[in-house]
Amino acid sequence: MAELMEYKCPCCGAGLTFSSALQKMKCEYCDSEFDVETLKAYDEALKKAEAKDPEVDVPTGSEWKFGEQDGIRVYVCQSCGGEVLGDDTLAASACPFCGNPVIMKEQFAGDLRPDLVIPFKLDKAAAKAAFEKHLMGKKLLPKVFRSENHIDEIKGVYVPFWLFDADVDATVRYHGTRTRAWSDLRYNYVETSHFSILRSAELGFAGIPVDGSKKMDDALMESLEPFDLKDAVDFQTAYLSGYFADRYDVSAEESTPRANERLRISTENAVAGTVSGFATVTPESANVKTVDSRSQYALFPVWLLNTTWNGQKYTFAMNGQTGKFVGDLPLDKGAYARWLTFVGLGAAAGLYLLMTACSFFA
């Protein structure tokens, strides 16, 4: 069986969880509070340990079919002896029997240990309130969605991210135009001048994030940005207690192409901002080269909410640091059709009034 780590209250022996409101470890049973720094000793063994795959011991019972055991890891809760099942990337969870928070030690051993973590600043109540606010003012949202949908699951997850620092050399060429107009007694003149515009730049970027989890939708994670690295602290497993966490299953090397693409777009946008004073500017070529790149492994806080309505699942997410909330909502097709009709009638009425005015002045 794989080994678990559990934080126990020195006063009563109950499980400790990280409180986003207090930014401390708290015992939900006796209300004792402890600074995270006092629990550093728990992490010393992880720094020295080597990452290895634990032996999988699946529960006894009916015969497992071929391939069903692949990717399964079984842990034993130190509080109640219950078995906690997880996949290859599960790094923090809760015992389904006693509810105690558990941390999978081998997922953070050796090279798997993150460099940084941004602790949760907002709790589950804030995520629920943000969801309700997200529904407000949506005129094309089906009215019954507000009353009939129910939150199936809400959980705080530490999502693995790679943070890239890079130095970039860029050369971009644009085609620009300027126009000059004048007239005499006989003609109107327009002169168009054409320019070849060359820009070179050396830029430095810090903390370009790329999520390192195959489970998480890349677009969803990017929509939660920015995460403010001023709140990032050195990793300690205590911050994970009471939350879910995954270790990365996309390596830094595999994440590099996405990081380079984000660097390219950011560089081209930054360079384009230096071109002004032209009537039109058209990019012709761009050469963006990364000359030095470094990466760090970090965990970022995300609240995930799943809700079901009309048999369809909707996923929402909230930045656990800033409170930014994202997620797609269903569309009331009838209300949308009425809105299109209203807009169309308004445009037609406006065109009719314009034509009438033109006829009057003619």
Side-chain angles (χ1 to χ4, degrees):
M1 295 278 185
E3 188 176 356
L4 292 177
M5 173 187 289
E6 298 181 41
Y7 285 90
K8 299 288 188 178
C9 176
C11 301
C12 68
L16 293 176
T17 59
F18 177 74
S19 170
S20 59
L22 299 172
Q23 293 294 293
K24 292 182 178 182
M25 301 294 288
K26 183 178 180 179
C27 175
E28 299 296 333
Y29 186 78
C30 69
D31 287 334
S32 297
E33 299 174 5
F34 304 91
D35 290 330
V36 173
E37 292 296 315
T38 64
L39 302 174
K40 276 189 174 181
Y42 281 82
D43 290 275
E44 293 303 319
L46 288 180
K47 295 180 180 179
K48 300 177 182 179
E50 294 183 0
K52 59 181 180 180
D53 292 331
E55 294 183 1
V56 176
D57 185 6
V58 298
T60 58
S62 60
E63 292 289 333
W64 286 79
K65 296 179 181 179
F66 178 77
E68 283 187 332
Q69 300 179 28
D70 294 347
I72 295 177
R73 293 186 179 183
V74 182
Y75 307 86
V76 176
C77 176
Q78 297 175 4
S79 298
C80 70
E83 291 180 333
V84 183
L85 273 68
D87 60 17
D88 289 336
T89 62
L90 184 65
S93 183
C95 174
F97 299 98
C98 68
N100 272 356
V102 294
I103 299 170
M104 291 64 180
K105 290 176 62 175
E106 81 280 350
Q107 302 286 38
F108 300 109
D111 293 340
L112 294 176
R113 190 176 190 276
D115 300 298
L116 303 170
V117 58
I118 296 180
F120 273 88
K121 301 293 183 183
L122 301 169
D123 60 12
K124 182 183 292 187
K128 289 182 178 179
F131 174 69
E132 294 299 327
K133 184 177 180 181
H134 188 65
L135 302 182
M136 295 174 60
K138 305 295 192 300
K139 297 184 181 301
L140 299 182
L141 178 69
K143 293 181 179 179
V144 292
F145 180 82
R146 302 178 192 272
S147 57
E148 292 184 0
N149 91 89
H150 61 278
I151 297 177
D152 301 321
E153 182 184 37
I154 175 170
K155 61 182 180 180
V157 181
Y158 280 102
V159 179
F161 274 81
W162 292 104
L163 304 179
F164 289 88
D165 297 342
D167 297 324
V168 174
D169 282 346
T171 302
V172 186
R173 176 177 284 105
Y174 305 89
H175 174 257
T177 64
R178 288 177 182 155
T179 59
R180 184 170 68 95
W182 71 95
S183 60
D184 56 24
L185 295 177
R186 298 181 61 188
Y187 300 102
N188 295 322
Y189 303 91
V190 177
E191 177 187 77
T192 301
S193 301
H194 296 265
F195 299 86
S196 180
I197 308 162
L198 185 65
R199 291 288 188 270
S200 296
E202 295 181 0
L203 302 174
F205 293 88
I208 300 294
V210 177
D211 81 82
S213 173
K214 294 178 181 177
K215 298 178 184 177
M216 298 297 174
D217 181 81
D218 294 341
L220 183 66
M221 292 299 101
E222 288 184 7
S223 66
L224 289 176
E225 296 176 15
F227 290 88
D228 194 343
L229 291 178
K230 69 176 178 60
D231 289 331
V233 296
D234 292 337
F235 174 76
Q236 290 190 57
T237 52
Y239 291 110
L240 310 185
S241 187
Y243 297 92
F244 290 84
D246 283 330
R247 70 164 173 82
Y248 69 85
D249 54 4
V250 181
S251 68
E253 291 74 19
E254 293 171 322
S255 299
T256 298
R258 279 190 60 213
N260 287 338
E261 177 64 12
R262 300 196 73 179
L263 286 169
R264 181 190 65 79
I265 294 173
S266 297
T267 298
E268 291 181 1
N269 289 339
V271 174
T274 68
V275 181
S276 60
F278 296 90
T280 63
V281 176
T282 305
E284 289 187 329
S285 64
N287 182 16
V288 179
K289 181 180 179 182
T290 302
V291 295
D292 186 24
S293 179
R294 304 158 298 280
S295 65
Q296 285 185 300
Y297 177 27
L299 298 180
F300 287 172
V302 175
W303 282 103
L304 293 176
L305 299 86
N306 292 314
T307 183
T308 303
W309 182 69
N310 271 1
Q312 185 173 350
K313 181 179 177 180
Y314 295 87
T315 298
F316 304 89
M318 187 182 84
N319 185 316
Q321 178 194 29
T322 67
K324 184 177 181 181
F325 196 96
V326 298
D328 294 331
L329 293 168
L331 177 69
D332 186 333
K333 295 181 180 179
Y336 181 64
R338 291 191 295 272
W339 178 79
L340 285 179
T341 301
F342 175 78
V343 171
L345 290 174
L351 180 61
Y352 173 77
L353 291 174
L354 179 62
M355 294 177 63
T356 301
C358 290
S359 300
F360 175 80
F361 287 107

